[in-house]
Amino acid sequence: MRKIVRSCLLAATALGPSGGSALAQQVEAQPGALPEIVVTSQRREESLQDVPLAVSAFTADTLETRVIFNTLGLLNFVPNMFGSNNTGLGSANAYYIRGLGNTETIATFDPPVGTYVDEVYLSRQNGNNFGFFDVERIEVLRGPQGTLFGRNTTGGAVNVILKRPGDEFGGFLEAGYGAYGRVLVRGSVDLPLSEAIQVKLSGYWNDDKGYVRNTTTGERLNDNDMLGLRAAVQLRATERLTWNAAVAWMEANGENLLNFTCDPRNPTNCAGRFVTTGMREGGPAGGRYTQTVTGRKANFGLGNEVGTLLVTSNIEWAGDNHRLSIITGVVDMSQDFALDFQDGRASPTAANPFPAVRGFTNGGFAILNAGRHQQFTQEVKLDGSLFGGVVDYVAGFYLYDESNQTDFADLFTLDIGSPTGLPLLLADRILVNDTKAQAVYLQADVKLTDQLTVTGGVRYTDETKTAQLLDNRATCAVLPKPPTCLGASLVASNGTPIPTRLETRKWTPRFVVNWKPEEDLLFFASATNGFKSGGWNARATANNLFLPFDPEFVWSYEGGVRSQWFGNRLQANLTVFWLDTKDLQTPSAFQNPATGAITFITQNFADYVNRGVELELTARPLDRLNVYANLGYQKDKYKVSDTLAPNRFGVKAIRQQQADCRAQLAAGRIPLGVGADNAPDCAAGIVTATGDIATPVRTPDWSLSFGGTYDFPFERSGVILSPSVNVTWRSSLEQGTANATIFSGSIRAPSGALYPANPFSGDVITGSRTDSHFLVSASLALRTDDDNWLLALECDNCFDTEFGQSSLVNYTYLNLPRTWLVRLKRKF
């Protein structure tokens, strides 16, 4: 059997990954072998090939080889992981792992894929697309991590580990220039002051002019400006006691505005990317968007600015068999933005699939936001071995305290035929919400024999959330406040009071069995539990829509193999999983048929099941050739209750909505239509235009990535030429929760009107549907054989492939266009 498996895997080495996946320590067992990779995915140091869970990890060298400069770039290299910038926000990434993800950044909604920097949790998705500088490694953990990483990791975790100060003076400096006027500068220096004190200073700066042209205002948009500065210190008080502390400031000032490959003002011009909004970067004429919007947000220019202060501290005491870590984190994030989500016009419908360009100066549907998000975490962690190494354990206590204040307004411009339209203020309010949580956890590995180990772990979390709405309108400044003021009377449409305090107490266990029949082969099976916090539908513009949603609970069942072959020239890791989610939290948005404005709603629409396979191959078939291949398959669906009764707040049940949709279809009404012709219960929530339950979003059945690097040495000149290529392919997928898509082909409405488009079939005009697609990135690097100089030419999305990454109210948000960069790097 082993000979057969060896032969099959040898045939696959031509597809095998580039340059290893992660690095904490690298030790080559024999010449030509892949390096051993030490990760901390179980909160203690272990070899990657000994970790009984699904982990993809990347070293600094691998990130550079694959042209990954920020967290968004990871998406193409992890099986069954998909995502993009959030609609509008270039600073925020919506990660989806095994179907669990989130496109909402409002502070009452927590992302199910957690982001960690040096073991400190970053709770807000608003600024998780930060630039990489001085990274030691990145680990992407797939599946719930509720035992060791805690709440809000039902989908997984992105774990970023930055380099600690070095013992010797050294560093690097690099500069680059690229597409759309991009300028990149990165650098780092280690300053060892003594044997006891080491300092590291690092930074990066990225600036570009933006890849989108606004043919209304003449401005360039969707730039990706980033800044990062970090100072780290390492104090070795004794041989056993070490303190590592760092302070970092990160800015992510980028947009992801709706844009088009052909100019909506001149559809024959398809040379680039275009928008037509009348909102300006310098702010509205007269200094305010309307006379009724309050606060400094009324003067914001079109754009998005996020600043994050991150302070981390880790005091470590290392004994012979035990290590104590006291980990402290402080996060202070601010976000200001003014964004137009309808390109200065209306949303597409079947009756009007190509809305006329208006260029309204207040935008089509605009959100103005001034947010402040502060977080403090304290963790005490103890790990080590007992009974002569029979038991390995990790235990700890965790404290979390977060405060958020978001001042935001929704502004909709009604098209009344005038050049400026009629701006309507839908809501102007302040959301104040806090979260406090405490947790204790313990996980232990017990070696029953030299080959067989069982693991048991559990975490107990006690969490409390509170929320308050304050209406900014002048009519709401009086006492008693009119009941129409937001926050004045939080009562659902059926008269049920809406709670402003949510409490969750939850045990999240983990069980694993792993069998290691020999050094290079590991089999494992696991069952892991996790949960994601509940919250409120905070984008509500009326009191009766500020409804809570329940926590999301997940069980994940996995089985897998970790293996090394041919003297560790090939690593093959296979995982199969079954994910069972209760009360899936689903953000949804639809066009209000009465006003045309966007209405947001987040609810527990259904349960969710996903199952799949993930294969990761890394190989070095030749000493100078590193290749990789990752394959993901998943098949998922919503599980909807058969009840027709509304929930406790009077929200219509999905089965009732489905029945109503089918009745509307039987009457000839048209989903995504207008007026009395519309079928409002179709193409909304998770019910499709045909009255079926939707396909879950951002889960292509198949995903594949492969590529490699080859080193050509020129010994006489002392340089090495290294071409690299990376290819990603995904099958078709849906982006909108209701799978709402507008297709070509006319249809007759009940009113007798002939719609030029339809919501059922034909060629895709706009909306949720995304076809299968390839992405190619490549680089050509020339470096000296002492590794001191590097000159590289790189391209991302080299063939300028276009596909939808997300959608909002029938508009499709496209992926980034082709970019290129020339970099020069000097190590010293």
Side-chain angles (χ1 to χ4, degrees):
M1 171 64 78
R2 187 170 176 82
K3 289 180 179 179
I4 294 173
V5 174
R6 282 181 183 274
S7 300
C8 294
L9 288 173
L10 180 61
T13 57
L15 297 177
S18 158
S21 294
L23 171 69
Q25 305 166 7
Q26 292 190 350
V27 181
E28 292 197 358
Q30 52 186 291
L34 293 167
E36 180 186 4
I37 301 162
V38 177
V39 295
T40 54
S41 304
Q42 295 194 111
R43 307 299 307 280
R44 54 187 172 86
E45 293 185 352
E46 298 173 283
S47 171
L48 175 64
Q49 295 303 103
D50 291 335
V51 176
L53 54 84
V55 184
S56 300
F58 305 85
T59 67
D61 289 341
T62 303
L63 295 171
E64 187 170 65
T65 300
R66 301 190 192 179
V67 197
I68 303 173
F69 290 102
N70 54 49
T71 51
L72 186 64
L74 295 170
L75 299 172
N76 296 328
F77 303 99
V78 180
N80 290 332
M81 184 177 187
F82 186 76
S84 67
N85 285 148
N86 274 56
T87 53
L89 302 173
S91 64
N93 291 340
Y95 299 127
Y96 280 73
I97 298 180
R98 297 177 177 174
L100 296 182
N102 162 41
T103 57
E104 178 58 86
T105 59
I106 198 71
T108 60
F109 196 100
D110 298 305
V113 178
T115 299
Y116 296 80
V117 176
D118 286 343
E119 298 191 86
V120 172
Y121 174 53
L122 303 184
S123 60
R124 292 298 108 220
Q125 188 166 292
N126 312 54
N128 65 355
N129 187 31
F130 48 85
F132 292 150
F133 62 113
D134 237 8
V135 171
E136 176 75 19
R137 70 185 183 277
I138 297 175
E139 303 167 8
V140 179
L141 288 66
R142 304 189 296 278
Q145 309 296 321
T147 302
L148 293 178
F149 286 85
R151 49 195 276 283
N152 302 336
T153 54
T154 51
V158 177
N159 194 20
V160 180
I161 298 93
L162 301 177
K163 289 182 179 178
R164 291 183 171 182
D167 295 328
E168 299 180 356
F169 174 80
F172 75 92
L173 180 65
E174 70 174 334
Y177 180 81
Y180 307 108
R182 179 183 179 186
V183 178
L184 171 70
V185 178
R186 300 195 301 177
S188 177
V189 60
D190 287 311
L191 301 171
L193 304 182
S194 68
E195 291 185 0
I197 305 175
Q198 296 86 40
V199 174
K200 177 186 285 287
L201 302 176
S202 311
Y204 69 88
W205 176 63
N206 184 90
D207 182 82
D208 65 72
K209 297 179 181 179
Y211 63 86
V212 170
R213 285 180 284 170
N214 188 336
T215 57
T216 297
T217 65
E219 298 171 329
R220 295 198 71 91
L221 302 170
N222 281 13
D223 54 338
N224 185 27
D225 299 338
M226 291 184 172
L227 171 69
L229 300 170
R230 179 175 182 257
V233 60
Q234 180 171 256
L235 302 179
R236 292 172 174 158
T238 68
E239 290 184 357
R240 294 183 180 273
L241 183 62
T242 304
W243 179 39
N244 277 277
V247 57
W249 172 256
M250 298 179 290
E251 292 184 3
N253 302 332
E255 308 89 44
N256 180 31
L257 290 169
L258 177 68
N259 62 92
F260 307 89
T261 55
C262 296
D263 183 1
R265 285 185 174 276
N266 179 17
T268 61
N269 180 13
C270 300
R273 297 285 187 91
F274 305 91
V275 302
T276 62
T277 179
M279 292 181 71
R280 291 181 173 271
E281 290 186 294
R288 300 182 70 82
Y289 281 104
T290 72
Q291 297 301 312
T292 54
V293 174
T294 64
R296 60 188 184 87
K297 65 182 181 295
N299 301 309
F300 286 172
L302 177 66
N304 170 51
E305 297 180 357
V306 178
T308 303
L309 176 67
L310 172 62
V311 181
T312 61
S313 169
N314 190 345
I315 300 173
E316 292 183 342
W317 176 84
D320 293 335
N321 297 308
H322 311 278
R323 179 173 54 190
L324 176 67
S325 302
I326 302 175
I327 305 165
T328 307
V330 175
V331 182
D332 191 336
M333 175 187 294
S334 63
Q335 181 177 38
D336 295 341
F337 68 75
L339 298 171
D340 180 10
F341 293 88
Q342 284 187 317
D343 195 38
R345 45 190 174 145
S347 290
T349 64
N352 185 15
F354 302 102
V357 173
R358 299 300 189 193
F360 295 140
T361 57
N362 290 288
F365 178 87
I367 298 179
L368 317 175
N369 182 101
R372 183 77 180 273
H373 312 281
Q374 298 172 308
Q375 170 194 316
F376 172 79
T377 59
Q378 180 65 66
E379 182 174 14
V380 179
K381 176 170 68 77
L382 184 66
D383 66 275
S385 298
L386 299 169
F387 312 116
V390 174
V391 176
D392 294 328
Y393 72 92
V394 180
F397 168 77
Y398 183 76
L399 175 69
Y400 175 87
D401 192 341
E402 182 189 20
S403 298
N404 302 285
Q405 179 170 305
T406 310
D407 183 1
F408 62 120
D410 296 356
L411 191 63
F412 175 63
T413 302
L414 189 64
D415 189 352
I416 58 174
S418 69
T420 58
L422 178 63
L424 301 176
L425 183 66
L426 302 179
D428 186 353
R429 66 286 206 199
I430 296 175
L431 169 67
V432 179
N433 64 292
D434 301 323
T435 302
K436 299 183 185 299
Q438 304 85 37
V440 291
Y441 60 90
L442 170 65
Q443 178 171 297
D445 301 339
V446 181
K447 298 178 177 63
L448 300 180
T449 69
D450 290 341
Q451 291 82 32
L452 184 63
T453 301
V454 295
T455 300
V458 68
R459 187 184 191 103
Y460 176 73
T461 303
D462 185 342
E463 174 194 79
T464 301
K465 283 189 168 186
T466 59
Q468 181 183 11
L469 276 179
L470 305 173
D471 202 311
N472 287 327
R473 291 175 293 179
T475 55
C476 297
V478 299
L479 293 176
K481 293 183 179 180
T484 55
C485 295
L486 290 174
S489 179
L490 291 176
V491 178
S493 57
N494 65 352
T496 301
I498 297 172
T500 57
R501 180 185 179 93
L502 301 176
E503 296 182 350
T504 304
R505 296 177 177 86
K506 176 67 176 172
W507 295 91
T508 49
R510 179 172 185 248
F511 308 98
V512 188
V513 177
N514 69 79
W515 178 49
K516 196 168 187 179
E518 56 183 88
E519 186 63 28
D520 294 337
L521 195 60
L522 171 71
F523 297 92
F524 73 90
S526 68
T528 307
N529 186 231
F531 85 97
K532 188 162 81 73
S533 304
W536 290 267
N537 182 41
R539 295 200 184 277
T541 56
N543 283 318
N544 63 348
L545 298 178
F546 188 75
L547 299 176
F549 49 87
D550 294 331
E552 177 180 289
F553 301 105
V554 178
W555 272 104
S556 178
Y557 307 96
E558 294 185 7
V561 182
R562 304 286 177 264
S563 62
Q564 299 177 163
W565 307 83
F566 316 116
N568 197 24
R569 280 185 175 267
L570 169 66
Q571 294 177 355
N573 296 334
L574 176 70
T575 306
V576 296
F577 68 89
W578 179 287
L579 190 75
D580 190 0
T581 305
K582 303 296 184 185
D583 294 325
L584 179 71
Q585 298 170 5
T586 306
S588 181
F590 60 92
Q591 188 174 16
N592 188 314
T595 65
I598 299 177
T599 298
F600 296 91
I601 186 169
T602 298
Q603 284 295 307
N604 308 99
F605 288 114
D607 296 337
Y608 174 76
V609 173
N610 194 4
R611 62 273 194 198
V613 181
E614 296 159 350
L615 174 65
E616 295 179 282
L617 300 174
T618 306
R620 185 175 288 169
L622 303 173
D623 287 348
R624 298 191 181 98
L625 175 63
N626 291 282
V627 290
Y628 75 94
N630 299 322
L631 176 67
Y633 170 77
Q634 56 188 336
K635 197 65 177 177
D636 60 347
K637 65 178 181 179
Y638 295 121
K639 293 173 60 179
V640 178
S641 169
D642 289 332
T643 182
L644 298 178
N647 72 5
R648 65 187 186 278
F649 296 106
V651 177
K652 183 184 293 187
I654 293 298
R655 290 300 186 195
Q656 184 62 60
Q657 179 191 343
Q658 188 179 21
D660 293 344
C661 167
R662 289 175 174 175
Q664 292 160 12
L665 293 173
R669 298 169 71 176
I670 309 299
L672 307 181
V674 293
D677 290 335
N678 187 39
D681 284 291
C682 304
I686 60 170
V687 176
T688 69
T690 58
D692 299 317
I693 299 300
T695 298
V697 298
R698 295 176 177 82
T699 53
D701 287 354
W702 293 95
S703 59
L704 171 68
S705 63
F706 60 91
T709 302
Y710 190 86
D711 295 333
F712 293 94
F714 297 88
E715 296 180 359
R716 291 187 177 181
S717 56
V719 297
I720 301 172
L721 182 65
S722 301
S724 299
V725 63
N726 305 288
V727 180
T728 300
W729 176 82
R730 296 188 185 94
S731 59
S732 60
L733 65 149
E734 297 286 348
Q735 302 289 353
T737 55
N739 303 167
T741 301
I742 298 175
F743 299 94
S744 63
S746 61
I747 190 171
R748 184 72 65 179
S751 65
L754 182 64
Y755 286 2
N758 76 90
F760 303 119
S761 64
D763 295 329
V764 174
I765 295 175
T766 184
S768 170
R769 183 75 52 83
T770 293
D771 292 331
S772 60
H773 53 270
F774 276 98
L775 279 176
V776 178
S777 62
S779 67
L780 186 64
L782 185 68
R783 70 178 189 275
T784 55
D785 54 14
D786 59 8
D787 205 28
N788 285 337
W789 286 94
L790 171 72
L791 177 64
L793 172 62
E794 301 157 341
C795 70
D796 198 11
N797 188 9
C798 300
F799 296 103
D800 204 16
T801 302
E802 298 164 358
F803 61 91
Q805 284 194 317
S806 58
S807 66
L808 181 64
V809 192
N810 308 335
Y811 273 126
T812 300
Y813 282 71
L814 298 175
N815 64 308
L816 296 174
R818 175 178 52 234
T819 59
W820 57 266
L821 179 69
V822 178
R823 287 189 301 121
L824 179 64
K825 184 175 183 178
R826 171 73 165 105
K827 293 183 180 179
F828 55 87

